[in-house]
Every structure is written in C-alpha cells, then in structure tokens.
Amino acid sequence: MPKTYDPYNNIDLDTQIEKLADRCVNNSCIDPELYSKYDVKRGLRDAKTGLGVLTGLTEIGDVHSYDLVDGKFVPCPGKLFYRGIDINSIADNFLQDDRFGFEEVTYLLLFGELPTEKRLNDFNRLMSDFRTLPSNFVRDFIMKATSKDMMNMLTRSVLTLYAYDDNPDDTSIPNVLKQCISLIARVPLMAVYGYQSHMHYNEGGNLHIINPDPSLSTAENILRLLRPDGNYTKLEAKILDLALVLHAEHGGGNNSTFTDHVVSSSGTDTYSAIAAAMCSLKGPKHGGANIKVKNMFDHMKETINDWDDDEEISNYLTAILEKRMFDKSGLIYGIGHAVYAVSDPRTALLKDLTIALAKEKNREHELHLYENVERLAPEVISKVHNRQKKVSANVDFYSGFVYSMLEIPDALFTPIFAVARMAGWSAHRIEELINAGKIIRPAYRNVAKPTKYVPLKDR
C-alpha cells in the first residue's frame, strides 16, 4: 500500500491503517473462556473426542481413523474409502493393470459405481472432448491477466468461464454434471497455461503453450504441457496419476469440500461454488502443506551436515518444535494429521512409487533423509511434548518431494491439489444439490453487551 501523506492527520496512510487495525483488534477480541462456557465447537470439532461435529451425510468419501470399542473411540490405522471401496484396493488394481487411475476414480466419485471397460473408454473420450478452452480464452484472459499466485489465477479463470457458458445459472443435474466434467478437464490446462504466462511476462522466461493430446490421460497431459519438449517417462506419469488419485477426495468435512457444500446449498452456480472451494484450498492450513514440507527439507539440507546422523537430525527437529528453527512455527510439517491418528493410508501407497522415482532420478540419498525424518520425528515429538499420542507421516510428507522430482514448480503444488480435488468437489456439489433442502446456516451466539447509541456531538 502506498504511503500517501494525509495533510489532515499529519501521518502517512500506512500508519493510519495500523492505528485503525489496533482498534479492530481491541474491539473484536472474545474472551476464550466464553467458548467453553457456551460449549462452542471451535473448528466444528468436539474438544473432548477431537472428532468433527456431524453436519451432514455423504456417500462419496469416508475417512476411518477410530474404532468404537466399549463406547470409546480407539485410534486405528487410517483407511480411506471412495464410494465404499478401500483406496488401497483401487490403487492396487490399476497399478497392477499398468494403467492410469484418475479418470476411473473420477467416474467412481461422480456416478457412485465402478465403470465397465466400455463406460470408462467412453468417459475418457468425453473428458478429452472437454479438454479444451473457449476460443481466445488463453490469449484474452490468461495471457493478459497474469498473476504470481497460481491459485489466484486458477480461481479467476474458473469464475471467468461463467461468461462463456450459455446456461451458467442452470442448476439442473444434467447441466451441473456437464459443467463439472468440463472443469475437471479444463482446470489442468488453466493451471499450466497460467504458470507459463506468468513465467514469460513476469519472469522473462520463454512462453510454451502446448495443446493437450486427446489420447493421453490427465497426468500425462499435465507433464506434456508443462515441459517445453513434452517428454516424460512412464514412471513419472504413473506417480503423478497416483498422486491425483490420492488427493481426489477426502470426505465431506475437509475445509474446501465443506465450503463447496455450504456455497452450493445457497443455490448459486457451479463456477462460484468451485471457486469458493479453491479459495479455501489456497489457505496454508489446507492446501499449502506440501510446499511447507519441501521448504522445510530445503532448509534442513542446508543446515544438517550429515543426513545419516540420527542425533543431528533429532536436534534439528527438536529445535523446530521449540520454535528455534526453520519458520519458528513449532511444527514439523508433514508429520501428523487432523483426522488420521495412527497412520495415513495414502502415505504408504505414494511412498512405494516415490522410492522407484528417486532411484530413476538418482535422488536416493535425499529420499533417505526423508525416511530418517519420518522415523525420528514421532520419537522427538513424544519426547519434547511429553505425550504418547502416536503421530505419523501424512501424504504431504512425500508429495512435495515427488513434485520436485517431477520438476513441477513450487507455484503449481497447490493447483495440482486442486486439479485432483476437482473430482471430489464436483461429486459433493451434485450430492448437495440432489439432497439439500435448506441453506447451510450454523448458529453463532452473540456475546456482546447491549450498548446505547451516543450522538455524534457527545462522543
């Protein structure tokens, strides 16, 4: 903000704003004890059980992290289900068949059943037909409205597509389904093209706008569009495809999907609902975790002399927890999860191919550092915080490393997450429209004291 001089107050504009901000803070602080007094479920989570407050029903995704034993919630190894099918079973099958899985998972999430071979082929062709942008969209919008933040660019691109839709406000299921499939197909293009334009116009790089190949999968096309030569290995495409599958859905209670439900319940259009979910995902507490993990490891590699020295690694992790190292947040990024108590089922699935890719990229020594931190972090956390609660690596722990090996720039980490979650958001929007009857409107209790109006001359 420019420091414009204000002759009336004799102070610059920034100082005025700072003083006004102080008034905001002083008059907006709520006594923390009131949250307990009125049993407010902050974050829509139960303070006693740590579980989320039930706000809706879904048949799309399920995260299982506790067993109910004798009336008590007992932590168990995490499981993730898409339409009732274990994600491990889904991934094992398409990996064993040596084929890509994201399109199959998208079909499963949208329609509630696994496709036959013919239906899957038909759906792949449908996705390919939608994998194009309106005429001159790249030139007139993406290339003329570049942004250094790719999630901002991607969200604006989604909202702009409203203007290219003949029936944008039609919330009938056939029309919404058409809109959703088109967005699932188009978001990867808008993400990559937005990045290429930013690098050219803002960073002085070369401009590469490559058309997608209709015969390729979503993962293959992302790598093809991102790289100037369009080349990639089969293993690279397989692991990116798996990452998309693992990020496609995570139940109705995660922040961005719940946002999708809330906004959809108002009756608004598809582009607005999806854009709102994207705005939620952009937040560092939600979609930016894998970037934090990568940045932490970049700092770790510069700071730790011997990546195989358990004591040196443990000392570094202790310093993080004591807010003396890295960003001084006290958090070891990628370790622990808001829902999974014992283990994240996505981590093991991604790690297997991560090991293979690290070998192909000759980055096994770096992988070994990740494995050492994964092994030592729970011990350090238990010791520093003096608690026995088990924590483990979550999917973000390895996904950032995977993206860096795939030469995906940091700026696209969260947009790649959005590319994957488009499948889940679309399924949840359709489910909300089919089953909803009321706008989602939770209660807030007003705790302000009644105050009389004071005339201006008497203040």
Side-chain angles (χ1 to χ4, degrees):
M1 182 177 292
K3 294 190 175 182
T4 306
Y5 179 73
D6 183 350
Y8 299 101
N9 291 292
N10 199 30
I11 56 175
D12 65 64
L13 186 58
D14 283 351
T15 303
Q16 291 182 62
I17 294 297
E18 289 175 5
K19 290 179 176 295
L20 290 172
D22 287 339
R23 295 180 192 174
C24 285
V25 173
N26 293 335
N27 294 313
S28 300
C29 290
I30 297 175
D31 184 351
E33 294 184 359
L34 292 178
Y35 289 95
S36 298
K37 177 180 178 180
Y38 294 112
D39 193 27
V40 176
K41 313 295 186 184
R42 302 199 72 180
L44 288 181
R45 301 192 70 80
D46 190 291
K48 296 179 180 179
T49 65
L51 302 178
V53 175
L54 186 63
T55 59
L57 302 175
T58 184
E59 292 183 339
I60 298 169
D62 184 31
V63 179
H64 184 73
S65 59
Y66 289 86
D67 288 327
L68 188 60
V69 180
D70 296 329
K72 297 182 179 179
F73 290 102
V74 179
C76 67
K79 291 184 178 182
L80 176 61
F81 299 91
Y82 289 175
R83 293 288 188 172
I85 304 174
D86 194 319
I87 188 64
N88 285 278
S89 176
I90 295 173
D92 287 346
N93 275 275
F94 70 73
L95 288 173
Q96 288 174 8
D97 290 347
D98 196 25
R99 56 186 175 82
F100 297 104
F102 179 64
E103 288 73 22
E104 178 183 15
V105 159
T106 299
Y107 186 102
L108 171 65
L109 293 174
L110 287 175
F111 305 111
E113 61 184 15
L114 290 170
T116 62
E117 186 173 355
K118 182 182 183 305
R119 287 179 177 176
L120 181 57
N121 290 334
D122 290 344
F123 184 68
N124 285 336
R125 281 192 292 271
L126 182 62
M127 287 276 286
S128 294
D129 290 342
F130 277 111
R131 199 173 281 129
T132 183
L133 292 171
S135 179
N136 300 326
F137 184 88
V138 176
R139 184 197 68 188
D140 295 342
F141 178 73
I142 293 180
M143 294 175 66
K144 291 183 179 179
T146 59
S147 172
K148 66 179 181 179
D149 188 290
M150 291 304 103
M151 282 301 291
N152 177 278
M153 179 68 192
L154 195 56
T155 303
R156 288 190 289 119
S157 296
V158 168
L159 286 172
T160 301
L161 285 175
Y162 176 99
Y164 292 82
D165 191 326
D166 293 334
N167 298 294
D169 294 306
D170 178 0
T171 57
S172 67
I173 299 306
N175 192 60
V176 170
L177 178 61
K178 177 183 176 182
Q179 292 171 333
C180 287
I181 294 175
S182 73
L183 284 172
I184 295 168
R186 287 170 164 176
V187 164
L189 309 187
M190 296 189 296
V192 176
Y193 292 163
Y195 175 76
Q196 302 286 26
S197 296
H198 160 66
M199 290 303 295
H200 175 66
Y201 291 107
N202 300 332
E203 302 295 335
N206 294 324
L207 181 61
H208 300 280
I209 301 295
I210 303 172
N211 290 325
D213 185 333
S215 69
L216 300 179
S217 68
T218 300
E220 290 175 298
N221 268 307
I222 290 173
L223 295 176
R224 181 175 182 274
L225 269 56
L226 190 58
R227 298 177 176 181
D229 61 8
N231 294 326
Y232 55 88
T233 68
K234 187 169 185 178
L235 178 59
E236 287 179 317
K238 284 181 66 174
I239 195 168
L240 179 56
D241 175 73
L242 177 61
L244 295 178
V245 167
L246 298 179
H247 286 87
E249 162 63 1
H250 211 240
N254 68 81
N255 195 273
S256 57
T257 303
F258 183 61
T259 298
D260 181 19
H261 273 280
V262 171
V263 178
S264 291
S265 76
S266 75
T268 193
D269 65 279
T270 296
Y271 304 99
S272 295
I274 296 302
M278 285 182 167
C279 290
S280 165
L281 188 72
K282 179 185 175 183
K285 293 182 180 180
H286 189 6
N290 49 22
I291 298 176
K292 283 288 191 179
V293 175
K294 179 182 178 294
N295 292 342
M296 179 184 73
F297 271 94
D298 287 343
H299 184 268
M300 196 181 302
K301 285 180 282 187
E302 294 176 356
T303 306
I304 295 175
N305 295 315
D306 185 353
W307 297 359
D308 294 316
D309 187 331
D310 283 6
E311 183 177 359
E312 190 175 4
I313 295 172
S314 294
N315 289 339
Y316 179 94
L317 297 176
T318 299
I320 283 183
L321 294 174
E322 294 176 349
K323 301 183 179 181
R324 296 184 287 106
M325 191 64 72
F326 186 45
D327 62 358
K328 298 179 175 58
S329 66
L331 300 174
I332 300 177
Y333 294 104
I335 300 296
H337 192 274
V339 180
Y340 297 116
V342 176
S343 62
D344 184 337
R346 302 168 297 177
T347 305
L349 285 169
L350 189 62
K351 185 176 179 180
D352 287 341
L353 284 185
T354 302
I355 294 171
L357 187 61
K359 185 176 182 179
E360 180 176 280
K361 298 290 185 178
N362 195 29
R363 293 176 68 173
E364 291 174 284
H365 186 47
E366 191 175 349
L367 170 65
H368 192 49
L369 174 61
Y370 274 80
E371 292 176 323
N372 285 336
V373 172
E374 180 184 15
R375 172 174 53 86
L376 293 170
E379 300 174 9
V380 174
I381 292 172
S382 178
K383 181 179 179 181
V384 172
H385 292 314
N386 191 28
R387 66 185 187 194
Q388 299 303 313
K389 180 181 178 181
K390 183 176 175 57
V391 293
S392 61
N394 59 50
V395 70
D396 294 314
F397 188 81
Y398 284 106
S399 63
F401 181 41
V402 166
Y403 295 157
S404 71
M405 288 193 289
L406 293 176
E407 301 171 25
I408 294 174
D410 292 8
L412 284 178
F413 279 20
T414 308
I416 292 296
F417 192 157
V419 166
R421 192 55 61 87
M422 273 301 310
W425 289 335
S426 296
H428 279 277
R429 171 164 170 75
I430 291 170
E431 186 178 64
E432 179 65 35
L433 292 176
I434 291 173
N435 296 285
K438 292 185 177 180
I439 187 171
I440 297 174
R441 190 184 183 280
Y444 265 65
R445 185 183 186 112
N446 191 297
V447 292
K449 295 180 180 178
T451 305
K452 292 184 177 180
Y453 182 86
V454 179
L456 183 61
K457 64 183 177 64
D458 297 329
R459 295 175 205 167

